[in-house]
Each structure stands twice: as structure tokens, then as C-alpha cells.
Amino acid sequence: MSSLSYVMHNKMARDRWLNYLLRLFLVILALFFAFFPIIWIISASFDQTGTLNTQRLIPRNAGLGNYDRLLSSDIHPFGRWMWNSIKVASITAFLTVLVSAISAYAFSRFRFRGRRSLMLTVFIVQVFPNSLTIVATFLLIQTIGRHVSWLGLNTHGGLILVYLGGALGINTWLMKGFFDSIPRDLDESARIDGASDWLIFWRIIIPLVRPVLAVVGILSFIGTYGDVIISLTLLKDKDVQTLAVGLNRFISDSFNREWGVFSAGALIGAIPIVVLILSFQRFFVSGLTEGAVKG
Amino acid sequence: METARGALSRPPAALFSSRSLLITVLRLIALALIDAFAIWFVTRLVNDGEYLLAIFAAVITVAINVAFLFEGMYPYRWFAPGLTLLILMIIYPTIFTLYVAFTNYKDGNLLTRVQAEDVLLSRTFLPEDAKTYSWTAFRSLEDPNRWALWLIPTDGEGEALFAEPGQATPLSEIDLGENTLDEDGIPTGLPGWERVPFAKTIAILDSVLAKTEFGEEDEKFMLNPKNPTKQAGRFERKYTLNDDGTLYDNETGVTYKAIRGTYTPVDGPYKNAQGQVTDAEGQPLPVIRPGYYVPIGLDNFKRLIESDKIRGPFIRVFLWTFAHAFFTVFITFWFGLFLALLLNVRFTPGRAVLRTLLLVPYAMPAFISVLVWKGLLNEQLGVINKFLTSLPFIDTGPRWTSSALWVKVAILLIQLWLGFPYMMLITTGALQSLPGDIYEAARVDGANAFQQFRHLTLPMLLVAVGPLLIASFAFNFNNFTIVELFNKGGPPISPDQPAGHSDILITYTYELAFGSGRGADYGFASTITLVIFLIVALITVFNFRFTRSWEEISENV
Amino acid sequence: MKKHLALLLVIALVLGALPAMTSAQETPTLLIWADETRAAVIEELGVAFEEEYGVDLVVQQLGFGDIRDQLRIAGPAGEGPDIIIGAHDWVGELVTNGLLAPIDLGERVEEFAPVAITAFSWEGELYGVPYAVENVGFFYNTELVPTPPATWDEVVEVSKALMEEGKAKYGFIRQEGDPYHFYPIQTAFGGYIFGLTEEGDYNAQDVGVDNEGSIAALKWLQGLLKDGLIPSGLDGGAAEALFQDGEAAMYITGPWNIQRFLDAGVPFDIAPIPAGPGGPGRPFIGAQAFMISAFSQNPLLAQAFLTEWVASEETQLALYEKGNRAPALLSAQAKVEDPYLAALAVAAEAGQPMPGIPAMSAVWSAWTDAITLAMQNPDADAAELAAKAAETIRAAAAAE
């Protein structure tokens, strides 16, 4: 008996390992797909002389020359750009989360006339291609800036204001789904205790929905960090420009010639996002799906 | 949940009621502040002539007041910040853009009427009998704001002049005092006047010298606006704007009338047999540029319907836009789900590390990733085609950027790379939160793994991530970065059609609207956008009305 | 209620007064939009101008192409620059849109290369002070091709020989599309884009992209593709890389690549464009200049900057050092001793100024598409493609 159970156990263990190895093999294929391009630009960033044609996986003339040129030039203040990007993206993300959460709470908890139309409107407006409205946006920010100078052209305030126009959007939907998953009994018992809606929102709901706040914040951060069209149009001074605009200039001026420097910039530029996503990974998984699942 | 209930029991009820009055007062003060700012802002907008924006700001302010003063509008208070931003930053520009769809805003008619008139009215010409002079500036010793010019004829004929505001004196009538003329014929100084060196005059060219009228009323001298440092003369305004809106050319005597925002010659000293206004040699005169943009009714819409060169690519682009967004969501979802399932088995050593590593593509900013892929997929030198052609059975690699089919494959491949980690993330989350007990029941009923997946996991998963898939679709519908940066919408369809095989609507209209060097037509691009927008809005509304997903999203409490 | 109103008014007044307190600027400022290369020179050498004349220069860097696109948005709004740098083929479009102010150099016009002045002239007015002239030439690898071929037939022979002997992967290469780099071949076969009027100006009504010569040039290229003599699917960057790495022996390009090829150590020289059945290959001659926005608040100061600073030998030489293009100011050009630029100048003798008329927009789109499609599909009907492109260009010319 015991030997049979041993054999069976052994067989199960072997099957389990076989199954694991098969799955691991597939995952490693996926990893190859995921990492090939990244390894390629890492290599390019250390390759000081190569062209697209001759670039090898292991650069022939490896060195930090590209990084040196990237970071030491006055013409492109790379550190400054990066700081600007992080600053603009963080503030936008924070305010987006705030605005979005307040609206999502109302969508989730109140029943009122026009609720469904409002939700539909919020969705449809997103489909309008915002890159076409860029002229109107430019004129708008110019007009605002004439009266409130820190919200005008060439300011981060103006840029953030434009980004915040999109705060009420898909994010709000996402949050609403999550808010719906918080049982209403909680609100009710607090209300019996005399709590106002604002207090319920602030003290009870917000602490419980932190994962989705983190997700919306990160999504907003990533979207803002990578935007080129709006920031290119609104920001003209090199000291206020963002990373995406700066790197974009490499593309338009000398993409082919400065491939190595561009790669170095791209890699450094990607670091904040990588760090952000990896460190909030846990929140990310639960924040994105929990609300929708429990609904 | 437990902690929430715990926290709840703490705040005593009395606290809330004593606060409510204070809160009401604070709310009213905040509202007053907002109103004060809004009134100030709207007033200034009206002063500037920004009427549309002023109306928007006023309506928003009134709405905010209504929401905060009437209890019946209570829920809308919560939307005040979000809706204000949405209306101001998204809907207002959108409505402006829609207005443009009914105008001829395009190359040649890019300015507003006031701007176009300003540009034209600032033009000058030198009458035939007038001379040009080189100038030297003098400044009054008594009044530092009074300036004069010493003018020497450029052709060397005739007398030098001293022109001050109101009068001009020829050299022969000037008392030089103890000053002398230098080798260029300019006095070193004049009684009551100080000669200003050239370098000191540059900074005041616009603020002082250009604004001063030198000489007598009917013989005014001014700096040549096209060559201010070297030349002055009796320049005159080239155009005069008549009260009836026509433009009169003071040099040639031709009258221009604005037809659809473009000043077209209607009357003049010379005309040919067909009644066209001509120059002295009988050549018909061209219109004057720049023009301004005016409403042209439905002409842009007519063009969209009537011209097959535009309609053809429009339909093609429209279909690919949908296909692109759909397939992107489709393949990223399935690949992401596949990986999520692989890693969802409990016995998976290294699972956390593998998941994290697979997330990395998502972390690269998209515009960077696209450019990297553009290099990898280069038809001749890209490492992918180099690898493929090194295989014994492949002669030439896929034409990633020049074939109508392969370019689409390439874009979807890039989309797959960019998007699968996100899908893996959300499906992992959804899988983890699926209730375990139904699987027990299914196993008891004898369902195999595939049946479990097909009938239990997938439906529940789709309900869970449905809104995210819709959001992803909406995002990719307008994914400008990838299509534009990868191949600029190319390869071209045909030399007479303004679109490429990989163009999606947003890249297509963006090029039409702003594509410098291609005869940009913002008005027409807006028209197309409007049509697209209506179609998409209809589909969305239809979709939500007749599917359950809308119900689930809106009422799932 | 009354109190409420009074409070409101007070706040409105306070807020209204705030922006009015900002003081007016004393020193006039010129805002310049330039690309990275030029911006560096302006910042470096502009200091002297600032000090001498008591003016502030503010330089904003944009991508070269972005300058034109952004000027369309920012210029009319009054937020644009006073001065931009740009290429001469923008002039037609920018002037038509009322974005540029004319310039009068007076007698100093003669100090500049005539072709540069022509390039920036539009309907009798000058719209820029040029700082560089450029054209493409026939670059060849001196190790692989000791003597440059004089005709396109010779180019084919040399290519065949090189490829058969395995000395190089390709002989002659060219990038896809791009009428600018195709024009020298097109003209060698007797094609042209716009004909000339009696006065020697470009005539927008005379479109030549579907004439026999232009079609012959397309068919010739398609033939090379079919024979595998030139690769398909090359963009500019890929073609440069092949030449730089010595894998291709002959390539049409311009002065912007000289430094790069020198750095890479590829042995090369520059010859005039080979001739064909239609005569010599004619490169386009282009120019770059500083231009003044029609919406500048300091138009006269901007003019002064152009005539006093841009038109100086020192500036033009500094711009040459950084940008590797020949100065447009003749006295500066004479001081440049550069064998490669000299060779390009020889190639330019057969050249023609690149048309700046607005119908060029249609050329850049439709003719580019036709060349691209012909090169992507060697079996495509070149005549039909050319006819479609011509039709589009003619429609654009008629609309002017």
C-alpha cells in the first residue's frame, strides 16, 4: 500500500513538474518576445558608433559615451525635462484621482435624473479625437493665460489644466465599478450615526478603495508622461518642456543620427514608469478588477 | 471591511449636527468667491471679445450656483469640479472644432478677419516720385521723448533733410551752430539736439522711431518697415479699408472685395474683354493673400459626399480604424489571458518574478517602444528581417512598411507587445477573485478543464473586465502615437488619394488638418471628424441600449 | 443678500486689479524659434548683439519641421516668435497664409548667393535672410569605385560588377519616395516637376511629372529593382547606414551627411550627378534662412537683427561650422575651404532652385506617393501612377 501511494505520489509530483516545465517554456518564449526590443535598445545605448545596419547584440565599441552626451549637454537639459515630466504627471495624477473619485462616488451612491445620460456623455466625449481640438485648446489656454498668468501658455499650470479636462472619463467608470463593490450597509449605518455624505466618502469609502485610486493615479501618470501632442503645442521654452517633447525633438531632427543617444534617453526616461508599475503591482491587480468582479 | 466598521463606531453623532451650520456658511463663502472670480473673468473675456468662451464660463458658473443653492440638485454638486473641467477643456474646444467644420479654415484662409486686415493694412509702398534716404537719429536735449531724423538721399541727388515731428528743414536752411558735417554728411550735433549713435537706436526702433511721424503733415517720413536700419522715406500705406469692407490699393488703384474671405479684384483702371481686372499689360490680377476664414455652410460636407477620391479612402480608413481597435483588444486580451492562466496555477515556483518581468513592456513609454520596433522591423536592415532571410527557406522578409497587408500585421504586432502585459494584469486580478466554490460544483458534475474555462471562467471574466476592454477599445480607436510614428499611415494607397493603408481616422484627419506642406484644410478635417464622431456616438448609444453590458455597468449596485 | 453682493463686488475688484499691477518691460525682446543646431549658435554668438544694442534674445528650440507647423497655430494667436529659421520651400505656404513679413535688403542683396535670394523671394518680395545653401551630390565610396561614373548606364555597370564580384552588397542605392532625392534622376531622363515661364520663374500650370522623361526615370528604377540591383524598402536612415558601413558604394545625399561619413571613416568623395538620356542630372538647390513673423510685436527690431547679425560673416561662418552647409553670404562662402562643399558646388552647377510655390505641397504628397508605390511594386504601371500624381498636382495648382 505504502509503496503504491508512494508511486502515485511520485507520479503526481512528476506530472506537476512536467506541467510546470511546459508552462515555464511557454512563459520563457513570451519573455523573449517581451525583452528582445528592450535588450536591443540597451545595447544601442552603449554602442558608440553603430548604425541600425551594423548594430550587434553585443556592441563592438561599448561605452558610456551616449549617456555622457545625453546628460552633459546644455542644449538639451535632460534632467530638467525629466523633473518637469515627473512633476506634471504627479500633479495631474493626484488631481485626476481626486476629481474622479468625487464624481465616481456620486455615480455610485446617488440616483438622480440625468444620471445615465451623464455617464454616457462622459464616455462618448472621450471618443472625440483630442488631437484635432489642439488649435482650440491652444487658443483657450492663451486666453486663460492672459488673465491668470500661471495657467497660460508655456506654463505647467496650463498643461495640467488641459490634462485635467480628461479627469472625468474612463477613470470615473473604473472607480464607480469599484465603489459599487463596497456594500451600501456601511453608508447606511454611518448615516444613522449622523454622518454627512462627504464624511462617508472621505472617512469610509476612500480608505477602502485605495487600490483603485492607485490604479487610476498610475494610469493617469503614464498617460500624461507619454503625451507629445499637447505638451509640444503648449510648451516652447526648453526649461519647461517635458521629456516626451524633448525626446520627440531627437526624432524629428536627428533620429537616425542620434540613435544611441536617443536610446539612452529612452531608457532613463522609462525608469520612473517601470519603478511605479513594479512597486504598485499588487494594488494594480486588485484595483483594476475587484470592483468590476464583485459588481 | 472589519476595520471600516470599527472606525465607524467612533465619531459621536453630536459632532455632525453642530458642524452643519458652519459647513453651510463655509459653502456659501466658497460659492461667493467662485462667483466673484467668475464675474471678473467673464467681464474680461467680454472686453476681449471672447464671446463664446464668456458664454461657456457664465453658463458653468450659473450651473454651479444652481447646484449649490438648490437642494434638488444636490447630486450635481459632486460633479462640479469634474464637469467644469470637462466642459471647459474638452467640450468647449470640441464645439470650436465643430464650428470650424462649417468654415473654409485652410491654407490661405488661416486668419480671422481682423488679423488678415491687420496684416494687409500694415503693408507699405514707396510712391513713384518719392526717394529713399539713409537716416541718423537725433534726440532733443530739452525733451528726451522728442526725436528727429537726419535724412540723406540714397541716390546722392538732392539735399539732405532734418525731419522732426511736424516739420522738415533742408540742409541749406539749417543753422549748424558750432557743429560740422562729418565725412558722410551728417552733422556731429545740432543746437538743441544730440546725435544718437546707431547702436543706441536699435532697441527703440519699434517702441519710438516706428511710432513717430517725421516731417510735415502731407510729407511724412517713416522708416522702411522692410529695411528699417538702412532706409527711411515717404512710405505710404498700400491698402485702405473702405467702409463697405472693400480694400483699395493705393498704389495701383484696384479695389478688392472679400469673396469667401479672400480679397478678389473687382474694379480697377484696366479690365479685359471678359471683365476681369488686369494690370497694365493685360494680365489678370491675382487675389491678395492672406485671406480670412468664413462660414461656408455645408460645402465641406458636400465635398465629402460628392468626391470619390475622398470618399474612397474615407471608408477604407474608417473600416481599418475599427478593425485596428478591435483586433488590438482581441489579441492582447487573449495573449494576456493565456499568460495569466499559465501563471495562475498554484504550483509555479518563481511566479512573482515571472509576472513582474512580463510587465516591463507596459512600462516603456509607447512612443519610445514604437520607434524601437520601427528599427527592428526595418525591411532591409532590421534585425527581424535579417534573421528571417538568413533562414534557408526564406528569400525575402515580410515588407513590414511597404505592403498594405504587412504594415497592418506589424502595427498589430507592436500593439500586442505594448498591450499584453496590461491584459495579463487585469485578467490575473479577475482570475484570483473568481469564487472557488462553483468550480467544486462543476468538477462534481464532471466538467473537464476546458469546459470549466469555457462555461464558467470566461463568462465571469468577461463580465469583470468588460468595461476595461471597452475602455481599451476607445483608447485604441484614437491611438495616434503608434500609427503615426510607425509608418505615418503609409504605404500610400494611390497618388491621388490623401490616405495610406495603415492610416486610422485620427492620423488621417490630423494630416488633413495640420499636415504642413500638403495643403492643410482644417475645416474639412473637422467635417470628417464630425461625421466620424456622430457615427461612433450612434454605435455607442445603440450598443449600450441593446446590450446587457450597459445595464451592468450603470446599475450594478 | 445685500452683504453677499457687496462682498462679491469687493472680491471682484481686488481680483481685477491684480494682473494690472504687473509692470511693463523696459528692454525689448526678440523671440527666436530655431532647431537645436542653430539655437546653439544664436545663444553663443547672440550675446554680442544683445550687448551692443541693448536687446534681449530669447531662443526657443523646436524640431526643424515643428517650427513651421507650430507657427501656423501660435503666429496668428500672437504668441508666436518674432523670428524663425526655416527652409525656403516653406515660403510659398507661409506667405499665402500671411505668416511672414517681407524684408528689403537694399543693395546688400548682392552680397548673397543669387540662388538663395531667389529661393526666398515670393511675388517680388524677399522673405528671409539666407544663411545656408545646400544641394545633393553623387557620393561614392572611393575604395569601391575609383572613378565616379558619368552616366546612369555606367552606374548600372559598376553596380553589377561590384555585386558580382561580391565587393559590396549593393552598388547604387536610393531611398524610397522622396521627390527631392529623385529629382536628379528624373531630370537626367528628361523629366521635370514644374516648367519655367519666359521670365525663368516656375510655372505652376506646367506640370511635368507625367511626361515621357519622368515616366522613363520611374521605369528605369523599377527595372533595377526587378534585376535586384537596388534594394526595396529603404528609408533615408537605412540608406545612409548602408553607405556608411561600406555595404553600398553609391548614394545621392547632401552636405548634412558629410561629417557623419567622415566620423565613420568611410572613404568617399562627391561627384556631380551622372547624366542620362535627357541631359545632366539636376539637383535641387535649397536654402535656409531667418524669417520674420508677420505677427511680431517688434518687426523693425527683428529686421535689424537679420541685417546686422544674420547677414554678418562671423555668424554665417559659425552656422556653417555647426551645420555643415555652405554659407549663403558670398564673402563667408569664400572663406570656407572645404573640399566636399567645393565638390557639391560643382554638382550644383547643373542644379535648379527648388520651387517654393504652394503647388509644391501637392508634389510632396502625390509625387512622393507615386515614386513610393512605383518602387514598392516594380510591376506597377509607372505611367498610371505618374498620371494620377500629375492630376492631383494640377488640381492643386488650379486652386491657387
Side-chain angles (χ1 to χ4, degrees):
Chain A
M1 267 311 246
S2 68
S3 73
L4 181 63
S5 96
Y6 176 76
V7 170
M8 270 183 72
H9 181 79
N10 213 0
K11 185 179 179 304
M12 271 173 69
R14 207 181 60 211
D15 281 358
R16 215 164 57 153
W17 276 102
L18 264 177
N19 173 292
Y20 170 68
L21 287 177
L22 179 69
R23 286 184 294 120
L24 193 65
F25 174 71
L26 292 172
V27 171
I28 285 172
L29 279 185
L31 276 175
F32 178 76
F33 175 58
F35 271 84
F36 185 69
I38 294 173
I39 290 169
W40 195 250
I41 61 166
I42 292 176
S43 153
S45 76
F46 290 109
D47 190 336
Q48 305 188 74
T49 53
T51 64
L52 192 58
N53 183 30
T54 53
Q55 195 197 335
R56 306 274 185 280
L57 210 50
I58 310 294
R60 281 177 299 187
N61 188 4
L64 291 172
N66 290 325
Y67 288 89
D68 189 46
R69 283 184 52 206
L70 180 73
L71 297 171
S72 62
S73 167
D74 292 341
I75 298 170
H76 30 81
F78 188 79
R80 181 78 190 232
W81 289 345
M82 203 135 153
W83 164 242
N84 288 341
S85 276
I86 292 172
K87 178 179 130 191
V88 168
S90 310
I91 298 175
T92 305
F94 175 77
L95 292 175
T96 298
V97 167
L98 197 69
V99 168
S100 208
I102 295 173
S103 310
Y105 177 75
F107 273 135
S108 168
R109 288 312 197 249
F110 303 139
R111 293 292 170 274
F112 53 93
R113 271 184 63 195
R115 175 172 171 271
R116 291 181 55 163
S117 327
L118 192 58
M119 287 191 68
L120 196 57
T121 309
V122 166
F123 181 82
I124 290 177
V125 166
Q126 309 290 317
V127 189
F128 197 87
N130 60 352
S131 61
L132 262 205
T133 59
I134 193 72
V135 171
T137 307
F138 179 89
L139 296 173
L140 175 65
I141 290 297
Q142 183 200 15
T143 309
I144 294 176
R146 220 176 277 152
H147 308 298
V148 189
S149 59
W150 55 277
L151 290 178
L153 297 170
N154 245 328
T155 65
H156 291 157
L159 185 64
I160 292 169
L161 191 64
V162 176
Y163 290 144
L164 285 180
L168 198 62
I170 295 296
N171 302 322
T172 317
W173 279 43
L174 205 65
M175 282 200 186
K176 179 198 164 287
F178 204 99
F179 284 23
D180 287 343
S181 72
I182 310 291
R184 284 196 140 197
D185 316 357
L186 284 179
D187 311 25
E188 294 308 324
S189 49
R191 214 179 300 278
I192 291 164
D193 289 343
S196 68
D197 286 319
W198 180 253
L199 217 58
I200 294 172
F201 168 70
W202 199 242
R203 289 273 176 78
I204 298 168
I205 305 291
I206 287 293
L208 288 174
V209 296
R210 265 195 239 127
V212 80
L213 301 185
V215 167
V216 168
I218 291 171
L219 290 179
S220 159
F221 188 97
I222 295 176
T224 314
Y225 196 82
D227 166 70
V228 180
I229 298 187
I230 298 173
S231 43
L232 177 70
T233 309
L234 296 186
L235 307 177
K236 293 285 155 39
D237 281 343
K238 74 177 172 192
D239 285 344
V240 297
Q241 278 173 347
T242 57
L243 186 69
V245 178
L247 282 179
N248 190 54
R249 208 166 56 222
F250 274 99
I251 305 162
S252 61
D253 276 1
S254 44
F255 172 54
N256 292 311
R257 264 146 268 174
E258 301 282 4
W259 177 236
V261 181
F262 173 81
S263 305
L267 281 173
I268 300 181
I271 289 174
I273 309 269
V274 177
V275 170
L276 199 68
I277 289 191
L278 297 188
S279 49
F280 281 94
Q281 202 191 145
R282 221 161 259 283
F283 264 151
F284 221 83
V285 173
S286 55
L288 272 172
T289 44
E290 210 151 281
V293 174
K294 288 193 177 159
Chain B
M1 301 292 158
E2 288 308 313
T3 52
R5 278 184 203 282
L8 199 65
S9 59
R10 249 181 285 125
L15 198 72
F16 296 121
S17 53
S18 74
R19 267 192 183 173
S20 67
L21 183 69
L22 180 69
I23 287 169
T24 311
V25 171
L26 281 176
R27 192 171 74 213
L28 286 177
I29 291 177
L31 199 60
L33 279 170
I34 290 172
D35 287 349
F37 175 78
I39 290 169
W40 169 76
F41 190 58
V42 171
T43 320
R44 298 197 56 147
L45 287 180
V46 171
N47 283 342
D48 279 7
E50 302 270 355
Y51 299 116
L52 184 61
L53 187 56
I55 291 171
F56 263 82
V59 168
I60 292 173
T61 315
V62 171
I64 289 177
N65 277 287
V66 169
F68 279 89
L69 292 176
F70 294 93
E71 278 305 315
M73 302 303 287
Y74 175 79
Y76 282 96
R77 291 178 196 171
W78 294 77
F79 296 110
L83 274 183
T84 302
L85 287 165
L86 181 81
I87 292 171
L88 198 63
M89 305 315 299
I90 306 265
I91 296 183
Y92 167 76
T94 304
I95 287 185
F96 177 90
T97 309
L98 296 186
Y99 162 71
V100 169
F102 298 91
T103 69
N104 60 345
Y105 194 129
K106 61 174 186 194
D107 268 352
N109 299 69
L110 207 61
L111 308 179
T112 65
R113 179 171 185 166
V114 176
Q115 287 168 339
E117 284 171 1
D118 280 353
V119 168
L120 293 176
L121 293 180
S122 72
R123 291 192 180 159
T124 57
F125 75 106
L126 191 67
E128 271 178 31
D129 58 338
K131 293 175 173 242
T132 57
Y133 304 82
S134 67
W135 58 269
T136 309
F138 284 78
R139 185 180 206 167
S140 167
L141 292 170
E142 290 142 36
D143 177 2
N145 290 323
R146 194 172 162 82
W147 293 78
L149 297 181
W150 184 268
L151 299 169
I152 300 175
T154 321
D155 55 11
E157 287 170 27
E159 230 178 333
L161 290 166
F162 184 67
E164 53 191 303
Q167 72 173 72
T169 328
L171 171 63
S172 53
E173 295 169 27
I174 287 177
D175 169 27
L176 286 173
E178 54 202 54
N179 304 295
T180 53
L181 295 180
D182 67 10
E183 66 229 31
D184 298 321
I186 307 160
T188 49
L190 285 168
W193 294 88
E194 155 201 32
R195 179 173 162 180
V196 182
F198 175 70
K200 289 264 182 332
T201 60
I202 296 283
I204 53 159
L205 278 174
D206 291 287
S207 52
V208 178
L209 296 183
K211 290 195 177 126
T212 315
E213 293 180 337
F214 302 97
E216 287 153 31
E217 189 56 36
D218 55 349
E219 237 195 36
K220 283 181 284 200
F221 295 92
M222 63 190 279
L223 305 191
N224 180 356
K226 291 187 273 181
N227 191 7
T229 55
K230 296 283 180 294
Q231 244 180 30
R234 276 178 25 232
F235 289 91
E236 288 177 15
R237 296 285 161 207
K238 178 137 169 87
Y239 298 107
T240 311
L241 192 62
N242 295 323
D243 291 337
D244 61 357
T246 56
L247 205 62
Y248 181 75
D249 185 329
N250 294 315
E251 189 176 4
T252 60
V254 176
T255 305
Y256 293 85
K257 189 169 177 233
I259 296 172
R260 279 166 74 111
T262 305
Y263 286 103
T264 314
V266 287
D267 198 14
Y270 308 100
K271 283 194 177 181
N272 64 12
Q274 290 89 37
Q276 289 170 307
V277 184
T278 65
D279 61 13
E281 278 99 48
Q283 289 292 320
L285 282 175
V287 300
I288 315 179
R289 302 287 185 182
Y292 53 89
Y293 62 91
V294 289
I296 52 164
L298 294 172
D299 284 11
N300 285 331
F301 293 85
K302 278 188 200 140
R303 214 175 119 199
L304 178 60
I305 295 164
E306 283 165 9
S307 159
D308 17 302
K309 277 185 193 139
I310 286 156
R311 209 177 48 232
F314 174 75
I315 292 167
R316 207 191 262 259
V317 169
F318 191 69
L319 292 177
W320 166 236
T321 307
F322 270 96
H324 162 255
F326 174 78
F327 284 118
T328 298
V329 175
F330 188 82
I331 57 176
T332 50
F333 172 73
W334 282 105
F335 191 49
L337 177 60
F338 176 67
L339 291 173
L341 287 170
L342 286 184
L343 293 173
N344 201 41
V345 181
R346 210 159 282 141
F347 177 75
T348 312
R351 173 156 76 164
V353 177
L354 292 173
R355 264 191 198 141
T356 306
L357 286 176
L358 282 172
L359 276 184
V360 170
Y362 186 56
M364 295 288 292
F367 73 98
I368 291 172
S369 309
V370 179
L371 290 169
V372 174
W373 274 99
K374 193 179 168 173
L376 295 176
L377 290 173
N378 189 296
E379 287 182 16
Q380 289 293 328
L381 310 181
V383 68
I384 292 177
N385 273 12
K386 277 191 171 174
F387 170 73
L388 289 175
T389 45
S390 72
L391 299 176
F393 45 90
I394 296 178
D395 281 344
T396 50
R399 295 163 56 198
W400 300 111
T401 50
S402 63
S403 136
L405 175 69
W406 283 109
V407 72
K408 292 176 177 143
V409 175
I411 284 177
L412 288 176
L413 181 72
I414 298 172
Q415 288 278 26
L416 178 65
W417 189 83
L418 289 169
F420 84 84
Y422 173 76
M423 291 295 180
M424 189 187 79
L425 259 183
I426 63 171
T427 48
T428 300
L431 286 174
Q432 285 170 352
S433 55
L434 292 181
D437 39 0
I438 39 172
Y439 288 98
E440 290 299 329
R443 246 189 303 264
V444 171
D445 289 348
N448 64 24
F450 177 76
Q451 282 169 327
Q452 282 177 36
F453 174 76
R454 172 75 187 79
H455 296 289
L456 288 173
T457 313
L458 195 58
M460 283 193 292
L461 199 70
L462 282 176
V463 170
V465 300
L468 298 171
L469 297 186
I470 294 172
S472 176
F473 180 88
F475 175 76
N476 282 303
F477 197 83
N478 282 330
N479 200 330
F480 181 82
T481 313
I482 290 175
V483 175
E484 184 70 14
L485 287 187
F486 180 64
N487 207 20
K488 283 201 172 289
I493 295 173
S494 161
D496 55 356
Q497 295 184 349
H501 282 291
S502 67
D503 259 325
I504 59 172
L505 288 165
I506 193 166
T507 57
Y508 173 59
T509 48
Y510 187 83
E511 286 293 324
L512 272 183
F514 308 114
S516 258
R518 285 176 200 80
D521 192 338
Y522 187 24
F524 187 58
S526 301
T527 306
I528 295 182
T529 313
L530 177 59
V531 172
I532 297 161
F533 183 59
L534 288 177
I535 296 172
V536 175
L538 273 177
I539 292 173
T540 315
V541 172
F542 183 86
N543 198 21
F544 281 139
R545 197 142 282 177
F546 295 96
T547 58
R548 280 182 54 220
S549 68
W550 168 240
E551 290 306 316
E552 263 148 17
I553 292 157
S554 80
E555 302 296 344
N556 59 343
V557 181
Chain C
M1 201 58 209
K2 264 186 181 170
K3 266 186 189 169
H4 186 85
L5 207 71
L7 177 75
L8 217 138
L9 280 175
V10 170
I11 295 170
L13 283 174
V14 171
L15 288 173
L18 276 177
M21 290 178 203
T22 51
S23 62
Q25 277 189 331
E26 286 294 317
T27 328
T29 306
L30 278 182
L31 178 60
I32 304 168
W33 279 4
D35 68 330
E36 197 170 302
T37 317
R38 260 54 67 169
V41 176
I42 300 169
E43 281 178 351
E44 206 173 295
L45 286 186
V47 180
F49 182 83
E50 288 179 313
E51 280 169 3
E52 188 175 357
Y53 299 121
V55 184
D56 281 343
L57 298 179
V58 177
V59 184
Q60 290 179 341
Q61 286 177 38
L62 280 83
F64 195 81
D66 289 334
I67 293 175
R68 170 172 61 172
D69 294 353
Q70 295 291 327
L71 185 70
R72 302 163 64 93
I73 300 177
E79 293 288 343
D82 298 295
I83 294 170
I84 62 165
I85 64 140
H88 78 270
D89 58 307
W90 303 358
V91 169
E93 181 192 323
L94 293 181
V95 173
T96 305
N97 287 331
L99 301 175
L100 292 184
I103 295 163
D104 180 357
L105 278 175
E107 291 161 7
R108 296 198 62 191
V109 162
E110 284 158 24
E111 297 172 20
F112 290 88
V115 62
I117 294 294
T118 316
F120 276 93
S121 298
W122 178 252
E123 290 179 349
E125 298 270 17
L126 179 67
Y127 284 94
V129 173
Y131 65 83
V133 288
E134 63 187 14
N135 58 275
V136 295
F138 190 79
F139 284 55
Y140 61 99
N141 186 318
T142 45
E143 212 162 83
L144 299 169
V145 185
T147 46
T151 66
W152 286 107
D153 286 342
E154 285 176 46
V155 171
V156 176
E157 280 168 31
V158 174
S159 287
K160 269 186 190 154
L162 282 172
M163 288 167 77
E164 274 164 19
E165 291 164 29
K167 279 190 186 163
K169 202 167 161 194
Y170 295 106
F172 172 70
I173 50 164
R174 63 160 266 112
Q175 63 225 50
E176 233 163 60
D178 197 356
Y180 180 73
H181 289 91
F182 183 63
Y183 196 66
I185 303 176
Q186 192 183 351
T187 45
F189 282 82
Y192 62 96
I193 291 180
F194 291 116
L196 299 174
T197 61
E198 283 166 21
E199 291 92 47
D201 298 330
Y202 280 108
N203 178 5
Q205 310 307 324
D206 180 6
V207 177
V209 300
D210 59 345
N211 81 347
E212 263 177 49
S214 300
I215 295 169
L218 281 180
K219 285 192 170 154
W220 177 77
L221 265 185
Q222 288 182 314
L224 294 188
L225 279 160
K226 270 187 222 166
D227 298 342
L229 285 174
I230 55 172
S232 70
L234 274 193
D235 57 13
E240 282 165 21
L242 280 175
F243 185 82
Q244 176 179 339
D245 298 331
E247 292 186 16
M250 294 167 281
Y251 177 45
I252 292 177
T253 188
W256 49 89
N257 269 326
I258 292 174
Q259 194 57 46
R260 178 186 152 122
F261 291 159
L262 286 174
D263 290 345
V266 53
F268 74 100
D269 207 343
I270 305 169
I273 307 286
R282 302 183 183 281
F284 272 139
I285 300 176
Q288 294 182 357
F290 286 72
M291 296 172 259
I292 299 176
S293 161
F295 299 94
S296 166
Q297 296 299 307
N298 293 304
L300 270 58
L301 178 58
Q303 300 272 1
F305 178 76
L306 262 54
T307 49
E308 303 305 313
W309 188 81
V310 179
S312 78
E313 224 175 85
E314 190 192 2
T315 306
Q316 298 251 332
L317 285 171
L319 288 167
Y320 150 75
E321 294 282 339
K322 293 262 181 186
N324 249 320
R325 290 156 164 90
L329 190 71
L330 292 171
S331 62
Q333 214 173 64
K335 290 205 173 148
V336 172
E337 287 180 15
D338 184 325
Y340 295 112
L341 288 189
L344 279 174
V346 174
E349 282 166 12
Q352 290 174 341
M354 181 157 57
I357 51 183
M360 270 309 268
S361 302
V363 173
W364 292 131
S365 57
W367 187 225
T368 304
D369 287 353
I371 304 167
T372 310
L373 288 169
M375 284 194 71
Q376 284 175 353
N377 183 3
D379 297 319
D381 184 349
E384 191 194 329
L385 290 171
K388 279 184 176 170
E391 188 191 339
T392 310
I393 299 168
R394 286 190 187 109
E400 266 166 33

